[in-house]
Amino acid sequence: MAKATVGAAGIEYIQGAMLKPKKQNGHKHGNYLIMTHRTAPTTNPNCQRIYSKPADAYNRSTPPGEDELRARNRFSVVRQLVEQRRKSLATMSQDQAAFLAQKDTPGGKKTFMSYLWMVVGAAYDAEHPGE
């Protein structure tokens, strides 16, 4: 879905997918229509771009490799463990205290969820070396 900014003269810019192919009866109708708006400072006044891609542009051309499957599996397991730990009353106070202690240090995680992902991910990697 595209985001648009509207001003007094109408639409100032649009950013995102304006049109996506419609899937009907097992095949897709139409193309992707994507607009981007550059926000970086520049002297070029042309900051809006439009791209049109075919309906199958985002179909995968190769099957996932072993490394990708391993990364997907790690993500799934760590996500479940993070959710369990976030709801666990047994570790909640310790986790919150440890999070606050590291929050303002250089390289410290700024959100509690990112801190839990770091801790649980490191524990998973320690239990599964080489994976």
Side-chain angles (χ1 to χ4, degrees):
M1 176 157 282
K3 297 179 195 174
T5 299
V6 179
I11 297 174
E12 291 181 8
Y13 71 86
I14 298 175
Q15 185 171 3
M18 294 180 56
L19 180 68
K20 292 183 180 180
K22 180 180 180 183
K23 190 168 187 178
Q24 191 174 25
N25 298 328
H27 63 280
K28 295 179 181 177
H29 299 276
N31 292 333
Y32 288 96
L33 186 61
I34 300 166
M35 294 188 73
T36 61
H37 178 76
R38 186 185 61 239
T39 55
T42 182
T43 57
N44 186 344
N46 302 320
C47 58
Q48 191 78 15
R49 302 267 195 267
I50 299 175
Y51 301 96
S52 178
K53 294 185 174 218
D56 63 348
Y58 297 105
N59 290 348
R60 189 177 191 119
S61 62
T62 59
E66 188 177 319
D67 289 341
E68 183 178 349
L69 292 174
R70 202 170 19 254
R72 286 182 185 182
N73 183 51
R74 179 188 183 276
F75 179 84
S76 297
V77 172
V78 171
R79 179 180 53 84
Q80 290 173 349
L81 293 172
V82 164
E83 198 58 32
Q84 289 173 0
R85 187 161 176 162
R86 185 178 69 86
K87 294 178 181 177
S88 172
L89 297 176
T91 60
M92 188 177 294
S93 59
Q94 284 178 324
D95 286 341
Q96 287 175 346
F99 164 68
L100 291 173
Q102 63 84 46
K103 182 179 177 183
D104 295 324
T105 61
K109 298 296 180 183
K110 301 301 179 197
T111 66
F112 186 61
M113 285 299 287
S114 64
Y115 171 74
L116 287 179
W117 273 90
M118 178 189 71
V119 170
V120 174
Y124 178 88
D125 292 341
E127 290 177 17
H128 302 88
E131 282 188 26

